Amino acid sequence: MKSDNKRYITCPFCSLHCDDIQVEVNNNKFKIVSENIKDCTSKIEYFNIKKTSNLTAISKYKKINFNTAINAARKMISRSEDITLVNHGTDVNGVRSLLNFAASHNCVVDHVNSKYLYRNLGIIQRKGYMATSLTETRNRSDVVILFGNNILKKSPRLIDKVILPKHSLCTNLKSRKLLLVGDFDAQSVKIAKKNKHHIENFKIDLNDIPEILTKLMSDDKLSKNLEGIRKIIKKSKYLVASWITSDFDKCNDPDYVISSISDFILSMNQTSRAACMPIAGSLADATSSQTMSWITGFPSRVKFNGKSFFHDRSICDSQEIIRNRNTDLAIHISTVNHNKVELNDKIKNIFIGHINSTFNIKPDIFIPVGNPGIDHRGIMFRTDNVVSVLLDKIREIELLSTQDVMNMLSEVDN
Amino acid sequence: MNLKLQGGKVYDPINNVYGKRMDVYINDGKIIKKNKIKGKINKIIDCSDKIIMPGAIDMHTHIGGGKVNIARMMLEELHHDHNDSCDSSAIIAPTTIKTGIKYIQMGYTSCFEPALLPINARQAHSEMADIPFVDKGGYALLGNDDFFLDLVKKKASQSLINDYVAFILNASQCIGIKVVNPGGINAFKFNQRALDVDEKSNYYDITPRTIIKILTKAIYDLGIPHPLHVHCSNLGVAGNYLSTIETIKAAESLPIHLTHIQFQSYGNNGDRNFSSAAPEISHYLNKTKNLTCDVGQIMFGQTVTMSGDSMSQHKNHHHAHPDKWMCMDIECDAGCGVVPFRYSDKSFVNGLQWAIGLEVFLLAKDPWKVFLTTDHPNGGPFTSYPHLIKLLMDRSFRNDIFEKLPKSVQEHSILKSLKREFTLKEICIMTRSAPAKILGLKNKGSLGDNCDADITIYDQNKKDIEDFFANPSHVIKDGKIVVKNGKIVNYIWGKTQTVKPEYDAGIEKILGKFFDKYHTMKLDNFKISDDEMTNVIGSEIKVNECIHKRK
Ligand code: SF4
Ligand SMILES: [Zn+2]
């Protein structure tokens, strides 16, 4: 194969948005060339065209041409009394177009992962917060604590790129300490032990995190195990705490657990430096909350009221709205999702999504759109909310972007 | 389409016109001379009872980028719209659309975001692209980034540093360079809590003075019109006027712009160890060539402070009101801190800050050197500009407010003895022509032939100064009437103003290696191309000329 088909792509499929992934593209089929990223390879190659891919628009069980689908969707939209837009992941221009549409049709806009967003946001809306970013962590941290259980599986390259990279500007990587606090399974521990790096795995019930952090900051006598951790923490010069919010789903009070980690970081900063770096969800969560914030003033769950966007965390909760059938039409937008999307068959559903999307039931209308980063250019925000990356186009199968399609649908009244 | 503004009183300081009755002609987005008009006049606006000025330019206002979004999210409660009234709380971290509307309704046609982190440039430009009407631009933050500090530590040549500065301007699509707490943000990451002008940072062993000296030189060598935009060391600290003066000296007579100088003009005299050093600072300002400043006036009421200066914001978080805040270390690039704050007219310190800002304005001899800002939203929201202008133009209005402040404030300020009242001419210079000049915007801030037709038309019948400046009768942007009697009549989108000095491509090789080794993104992704600006981010760019070829 010719090597000039090789190129870098920016990966849209988790919130690290790596841009150092090499792919080889032949006849619109892409293959990851970069090595040692098995999990990512399957995540990315999933978006190749398969036999089962929905390349054409579908009305329930029937294939229809694209324009027919747009017209049918427009009709459905103009008949609807109350539309709910559910974002399962799209780029900045996609979010812009959802909000444009919402402003012309007075609808709710929500992201499926809003509940996780509000857990982290809760901290800065109630008290102080010290944050850091991926590159800072890579180059400055001497202690990293991962809380929870699944963070390493959900962000496959966190260890390689951020926590235990090959090079670090200001710290000695050999002496960087990695602590796992929670119930990490053997697979996670294996990922963390990369290059035989010494790690501390402190197994606890996630509900006990607040209590343990309080103990660590106190002068109380501790068990031998904990005493060791206290020593590491006390000596640290730049400590980073990281977690993925969904790991705390099963806790009695997830908000309390997260806020205890943040409080711990705040108190560390009285004498030393420390910061939080939570990892966002993989459905372009940060892209949605950032773009919505600057356009509407709110990071999620808004409704256009004819004049401006208003926000109410419960009134604009799309999952509740759909469950209670307080809407007659849900428009789902999904361009990076690997998982099956749950639709409610009691209302009408328009699904604007990538060609390999799967659902529990067929939507009334399915309109295929491209993946940002594969079929069209776009921008997405990384988990640290401070870096946004440019996504490129590597395939030409004539798929429009979410923005193109939403703009077509917006023209309904004209 | 030819438009004629007929018989208004025109203020155009760049062309030495002050209150002369004349006609202004507009064609195709530009102002043109009468004798160049082809075809008939399509529309005439009778300006016989109007005052005409170029559109206003806010050269320092935090309107886009990560920290503004943090403030929006943190202070969600402030966006719940109460009949869209322009109360200050709803406007301290407004949405992009509201930002554009409020600015254009006040006759502002260009706004500049002064703390654009290169690593956050894509976000800042995406946000600003969603601000309607106005032209915008950004100043890229340098001087706390590890790459730069490493170059300085290794005693890299000035020429290599110039390449880096020029590259950053190109890659981040900015129009100027800003340094915030030179070296201090970086030092805070290594747990230093203060850094004075001649103090060395522990890790890089570099003083703020060195950073200022190198960056002012780079900007001068590259011919970048806007001087280094400096947020000095020791912001807000009593007695900091001394470090402010040392910062001025660090530029070694090269052009330098000190921002929100009100926050940098504090003495530590008196029984409360806090006093005004406005006279000392003004003395320097008046006598130093190549020195300009914007004031950063504070306004009483709720606001939110947002700054790249994580060192000082972390120190200030104890004053947060309401009691929530956030600081962040960012990408070996810089940092930020967002702390909501309420300036109280009952407080000695806040009262004196208010007086110090006004003292700086009133003691400045040359309106071409001082710009009218509140450092939005740090001192107060930009919507308070008409009020601020009234404070400057109406001595009795100013004194009435001053007399209601705590006695201690009145005893510590010379404000009452300052009899000066600014004229329309001076306000026009400070808010239009001088910012255009200092930014190198040759087609703005002027009503001369071929300038951009960004024009504000005020109603002479409005006798109250605040009302006059808050409610122009017409605002014209790029030749189109966008505001008429306070109502938006036309939605248009402005451009992003940039400057693109030359650099040797060798710097990209060095930086590319640095990115591959230490960063978590590639240099190619860090750079924002002109094509991306237009076709993905969504803003056309306008490249402004450098003053001279690279030295
Ligand atoms: S870590 Fe995430 S962003 Fe990076 S390549 Fe894997 S899936 Fe893509
Ligand atoms: Zn500022």
Side-chain angles (χ1 to χ4, degrees):
Chain A
M1 259 176 223
K2 276 192 285 162
S3 61
D4 53 1
N5 293 340
K6 280 188 194 161
R7 54 181 303 175
Y8 286 106
I9 60 160
T10 305
C11 175
F13 303 116
C14 97
S15 63
L16 298 189
H17 293 311
C18 308
D19 61 358
D20 56 349
I21 304 287
Q22 251 200 333
V23 296
E24 194 163 48
V25 189
N26 281 306
N27 300 325
N28 288 322
K29 197 169 159 46
F30 47 91
K31 199 171 156 305
I32 305 295
V33 195
S34 303
E35 286 170 2
N36 299 327
I37 50 162
K38 213 174 89 225
D39 293 340
C40 305
T41 301
S42 53
K43 262 190 158 175
I44 300 169
E45 290 182 353
Y46 173 89
F47 292 90
N48 265 310
I49 309 171
K50 303 173 191 154
K51 272 198 196 123
T52 51
S53 295
N54 301 304
L55 282 166
T56 16
I58 302 171
S59 163
K60 271 289 178 190
Y61 299 98
K62 212 171 65 213
K63 288 190 176 174
I64 52 177
N65 83 28
F66 186 82
N67 289 336
T68 314
I70 293 286
N71 285 333
R74 281 180 180 160
K75 235 179 233 151
M76 212 173 263
I77 287 162
S78 61
R79 280 196 204 122
S80 162
E81 303 267 303
D82 220 318
I83 305 173
T84 302
L85 296 176
V86 193
N87 180 1
H88 302 258
T90 182
D91 61 331
V92 167
N93 282 335
V95 179
R96 280 172 165 165
S97 69
L98 297 192
L99 294 168
N100 259 339
F101 180 92
S104 53
H105 294 82
N106 294 345
C107 33
V108 165
V109 184
D110 188 15
H111 188 283
V112 272
N113 283 347
S114 289
K115 98 170 173 196
Y116 299 127
L117 165 80
Y118 286 118
R119 261 183 215 160
N120 286 339
L121 204 58
I123 315 172
I124 67 160
Q125 292 185 339
R126 285 194 305 269
K127 44 172 120 178
Y129 186 57
M130 294 292 283
T132 192
S133 67
L134 298 181
T135 303
E136 285 298 344
T137 304
R138 172 175 169 135
N139 292 296
R140 221 158 319 258
S141 64
D142 55 355
V143 177
V144 177
I145 311 182
L146 301 180
F147 292 95
N149 42 33
N150 283 315
I151 177 168
L152 291 175
K153 291 187 204 155
K154 293 207 172 149
S155 351
R157 300 185 67 216
L158 190 62
I159 289 282
D160 270 3
K161 286 198 69 167
V162 180
I163 300 176
L164 301 172
K166 281 208 188 87
H167 307 280
S168 169
L169 193 59
C170 316
T171 48
N172 178 357
L173 282 168
K174 285 209 182 91
S175 56
R176 182 174 288 174
K177 302 276 186 304
L178 173 57
L179 313 181
L180 306 181
V181 177
D183 51 1
F184 288 84
D185 63 12
Q187 192 198 340
S188 289
V189 174
K190 200 176 141 204
I191 301 174
K193 277 196 168 149
K194 197 203 142 199
N195 303 337
K196 303 207 177 73
H197 195 90
H198 176 74
I199 61 157
E200 299 277 343
N201 183 15
F202 194 63
K203 258 196 169 314
I204 53 159
D205 182 333
L206 298 185
N207 281 305
D208 296 339
I209 289 174
E211 194 196 325
I212 283 172
L213 291 176
T214 313
K215 274 192 190 156
L216 284 171
M217 294 310 284
S218 73
D219 296 322
D220 299 353
K221 207 167 160 30
L222 301 173
S223 66
K224 202 174 146 222
N225 213 343
L226 267 183
E227 192 56 58
I229 290 185
R230 176 149 73 190
K231 261 199 198 131
I232 292 174
I233 289 173
K234 287 260 145 98
K235 269 213 263 170
S236 77
K237 296 203 160 69
Y238 196 100
L239 181 147
V240 175
S242 190
W243 66 88
I244 189 157
T245 315
S246 57
D247 275 2
F248 303 121
D249 268 349
K250 291 205 181 96
C251 289
N252 304 332
D253 188 348
D255 289 351
Y256 178 56
V257 174
I258 292 170
S259 119
S260 77
I261 301 172
S262 170
D263 287 349
F264 158 70
I265 291 295
L266 289 186
S267 64
M268 290 288 302
N269 276 291
Q270 286 170 10
T271 51
S272 167
R273 285 306 323 278
C276 299
M277 191 189 63
I279 301 297
S282 299
L283 299 179
D285 305 33
T287 304
S288 167
S289 58
Q290 288 294 328
T291 312
M292 287 188 68
S293 289
W294 80 66
I295 295 177
T296 72
F298 307 103
S300 199
R301 294 192 183 158
V302 297
K303 181 170 176 145
F304 198 77
N305 64 10
K307 247 183 98 205
S308 58
F309 284 99
F310 83 92
H311 159 77
D312 187 302
R313 234 170 253 197
S314 24
I315 295 176
C316 303
D317 176 345
S318 60
Q319 270 134 316
E320 282 300 306
I321 293 173
I322 291 171
R323 189 174 307 130
N324 301 325
R325 283 192 270 152
N326 286 332
T327 181
D328 54 6
L329 171 61
I331 304 182
H332 297 267
I333 294 86
S334 176
T335 67
V336 288
N337 195 353
H338 294 81
N339 301 325
K340 189 181 269 182
V341 177
E342 296 288 322
L343 306 177
N344 184 330
D345 61 355
K346 303 286 187 317
I347 58 168
K348 296 260 182 243
N349 292 292
I350 296 175
F351 197 99
I352 298 166
H354 67 80
I355 54 175
N356 295 327
S357 301
T358 54
F359 348 83
N360 58 332
I361 54 155
K362 289 263 179 200
D364 296 274
I365 299 169
F366 172 84
I367 302 173
V369 289
N371 298 108
I374 294 179
D375 299 301
H376 63 84
R377 293 201 289 173
I379 293 170
M380 279 192 181
F381 278 78
R382 252 171 33 179
T383 182
D384 45 26
N385 285 304
V386 74
V387 175
S388 43
V389 291
L390 179 67
L391 305 159
D392 213 343
K393 173 180 174 139
I394 60 167
R395 170 173 78 181
E396 180 56 82
I397 50 172
E398 292 180 0
L399 287 168
L400 296 181
S401 67
T402 302
Q403 184 180 33
D404 296 332
V405 168
M406 288 311 294
N407 288 351
M408 286 176 169
L409 297 182
S410 286
E411 286 161 17
V412 122
D413 303 320
N414 305 337
Chain B
M1 160 99 180
N2 292 317
L3 175 64
K4 178 181 180 187
L5 313 180
Q6 185 166 288
K9 265 190 172 175
V10 173
Y11 283 80
D12 182 11
I14 285 184
N15 293 303
N16 251 313
V17 176
Y18 298 108
K20 188 177 155 197
R21 237 176 236 294
M22 54 197 280
D23 302 332
V24 177
Y25 296 91
I26 298 165
N27 171 268
D28 227 8
K30 297 278 180 192
I31 294 165
I32 58 166
K33 277 194 192 148
K34 186 179 177 183
N35 59 13
K36 284 197 195 162
I37 294 176
K38 293 196 184 94
K40 66 172 186 17
I41 303 285
N42 306 77
K43 189 176 166 68
I44 296 174
I45 300 179
D46 174 14
C47 294
S48 48
D49 58 352
K50 304 280 193 275
I51 289 177
I52 300 178
M53 293 187 187
I57 299 170
D58 194 344
M59 59 99 68
H60 189 112
T61 171
H62 298 275
I63 50 171
K67 62 201 177 317
V68 189
N69 245 5
I70 292 170
R72 291 183 183 115
M73 291 192 212
M74 178 188 292
L75 301 164
E76 211 179 70
E77 63 273 22
L78 300 179
H79 300 290
H80 290 285
D81 216 343
H82 310 292
N83 304 318
D84 195 36
S85 63
C86 184
D87 63 305
S88 69
S89 62
I91 204 82
I92 61 176
T95 62
T96 45
I97 294 175
K98 204 165 186 173
T99 302
I101 292 176
K102 296 298 177 198
Y103 261 119
I104 203 75
Q105 284 174 329
M106 292 195 315
Y108 274 75
T109 49
S110 301
C111 306
F112 292 85
E113 162 58 55
L116 194 148
L117 275 63
I119 203 84
N120 186 241
R122 189 165 278 123
Q123 168 171 14
H125 287 303
S126 297
E127 274 187 47
M128 291 196 283
D130 284 345
I131 298 176
F133 311 111
V134 295
D135 280 14
K136 41 251 160 182
Y139 313 148
L141 284 196
L142 281 182
N144 282 287
D145 48 316
D146 288 274
F147 181 78
F148 170 82
L149 294 170
D150 199 46
L151 284 184
V152 176
K153 187 179 180 178
K154 288 183 181 140
K155 305 226 171 335
S157 67
Q158 181 74 42
S159 162
L160 187 66
I161 287 177
N162 296 355
D163 284 330
Y164 177 56
V165 170
F167 167 80
I168 287 290
L169 278 167
N170 280 271
S172 64
Q173 299 280 359
C174 281
I175 192 169
I177 296 286
K178 186 191 191 194
V179 60
V180 173
N181 186 356
I185 301 170
N186 188 281
F188 178 57
K189 295 174 185 175
F190 294 97
N191 204 25
Q192 263 176 287
R193 302 292 167 127
L195 193 68
D196 209 345
V197 181
D198 288 308
E199 200 176 335
K200 284 182 173 172
S201 59
N202 292 342
Y203 188 80
Y204 284 105
D205 206 28
I206 296 168
T207 64
R209 185 186 297 276
T210 305
I211 295 171
I212 298 280
K213 184 179 160 183
I214 291 175
L215 285 176
T216 45
K217 178 86 169 78
I219 285 164
Y220 176 74
D221 286 352
L222 292 167
I224 298 162
H226 189 44
L228 182 65
H229 197 97
V230 184
H231 159 141
C232 301
S233 315
N234 295 323
L235 180 107
V237 175
N240 67 5
Y241 79 102
L242 290 171
S243 47
T244 306
I245 290 170
E246 288 311 311
T247 305
I248 296 168
K249 290 183 185 161
E252 298 183 353
S253 302
L254 291 178
I256 184 169
H257 177 90
L258 301 194
T259 188
H260 40 67
I261 202 159
Q262 175 276 128
F263 290 108
Q264 295 290 153
S265 305
Y266 302 155
N268 50 6
N269 295 328
D271 43 355
R272 299 177 189 235
N273 300 323
F274 185 70
S275 56
S276 169
E280 289 83 347
I281 291 294
S282 301
H283 172 73
Y284 257 88
L285 181 66
N286 290 334
K287 76 168 191 186
T288 311
K289 228 181 114 201
N290 287 333
L291 171 64
T292 51
C293 72
D294 61 271
V295 173
Q297 176 66 30
I298 70 135
M299 293 291 169
F300 299 119
Q302 178 69 49
T303 194
V304 59
T305 63
M306 49 177 78
S307 168
D309 194 346
S310 45
M311 180 188 259
S312 82
Q313 289 293 72
H314 184 259
K315 209 180 304 172
N316 288 338
H317 80 254
H318 304 287
H319 303 296
H321 178 97
D323 188 11
K324 45 184 172 179
W325 55 275
M326 174 170 167
C327 288
M328 186 170 188
D329 300 325
I330 299 171
E331 291 295 279
C332 296
D333 197 30
C336 83
V338 177
V339 184
F341 190 77
R342 186 169 196 91
Y343 292 103
S344 163
D345 57 2
K346 306 280 179 298
S347 142
F348 166 71
V349 172
N350 298 164
L352 198 54
Q353 286 178 302
W354 179 87
I356 291 169
L358 294 174
E359 288 173 11
V360 173
F361 274 117
L362 295 163
L363 291 168
K365 288 199 177 127
D366 184 356
W368 289 91
K369 292 176 78 173
V370 183
F371 308 100
L372 188 137
T373 66
T374 54
D375 189 16
H376 163 84
N378 289 309
F382 65 80
T383 45
S384 54
Y385 287 168
H387 176 84
L388 173 55
I389 293 173
K390 185 168 177 184
L391 288 169
L392 297 177
M393 292 183 74
D394 182 341
R395 183 173 171 235
S396 71
F397 176 70
R398 178 166 80 223
N399 282 345
D400 284 351
I401 297 179
F402 186 60
E403 279 160 17
K404 290 192 190 103
L405 297 180
K407 276 266 155 345
S408 51
V409 174
Q410 298 179 45
E411 286 159 14
H412 280 79
S413 169
I414 57 162
L415 189 62
K416 221 165 160 190
S417 68
L418 301 174
K419 301 205 165 59
R420 182 172 178 192
E421 292 185 327
F422 275 73
T423 60
L424 269 187
K425 166 181 166 178
E426 288 169 321
I427 296 294
C428 185
I429 293 171
M430 284 163 77
T431 55
R432 279 83 176 160
S433 317
K437 188 173 156 221
I438 202 78
L439 287 166
L441 304 170
K442 291 213 173 114
N443 295 321
K444 296 202 184 286
S446 162
L447 300 175
D449 187 36
N450 208 31
C451 283
D452 295 345
D454 297 353
I455 300 172
T456 313
I457 306 177
Y458 295 105
D459 185 350
Q460 237 181 320
N461 300 317
K462 291 193 189 297
K463 294 298 171 214
D464 178 67
I465 297 169
E466 197 171 331
D467 184 28
F468 175 91
F469 279 102
N471 299 298
S473 76
H474 296 77
V475 183
I476 295 170
K477 176 77 183 72
D478 289 324
K480 297 191 183 67
I481 302 169
V482 286
V483 176
K484 206 173 152 185
N485 299 323
K487 294 251 163 2
I488 305 287
V489 291
N490 208 342
Y491 263 85
I492 63 162
W493 302 85
K495 294 190 181 72
T496 300
Q497 300 285 337
T498 64
V499 64
K500 294 188 184 292
E502 301 163 37
Y503 62 92
D504 183 317
I507 188 69
E508 290 199 47
K509 276 212 183 106
I510 303 173
L511 199 54
K513 278 193 195 139
F514 183 85
F515 264 66
D516 285 345
K517 203 163 169 190
Y518 301 118
H519 269 260
T520 45
M521 85 193 295
K522 290 202 156 289
L523 185 68
D524 273 347
N525 212 327
F526 170 82
K527 291 191 284 187
I528 300 174
S529 68
D530 295 357
D531 170 48
E532 182 189 346
M533 277 300 286
T534 320
N535 296 314
V536 186
I537 289 172
S539 178
E540 247 183 79
I541 58 164
K542 160 87 174 78
V543 183
N544 293 279
E545 282 166 32
C546 286
I547 303 172
H548 52 71
K549 269 198 130 2
R550 184 175 167 161
K551 287 199 186 291

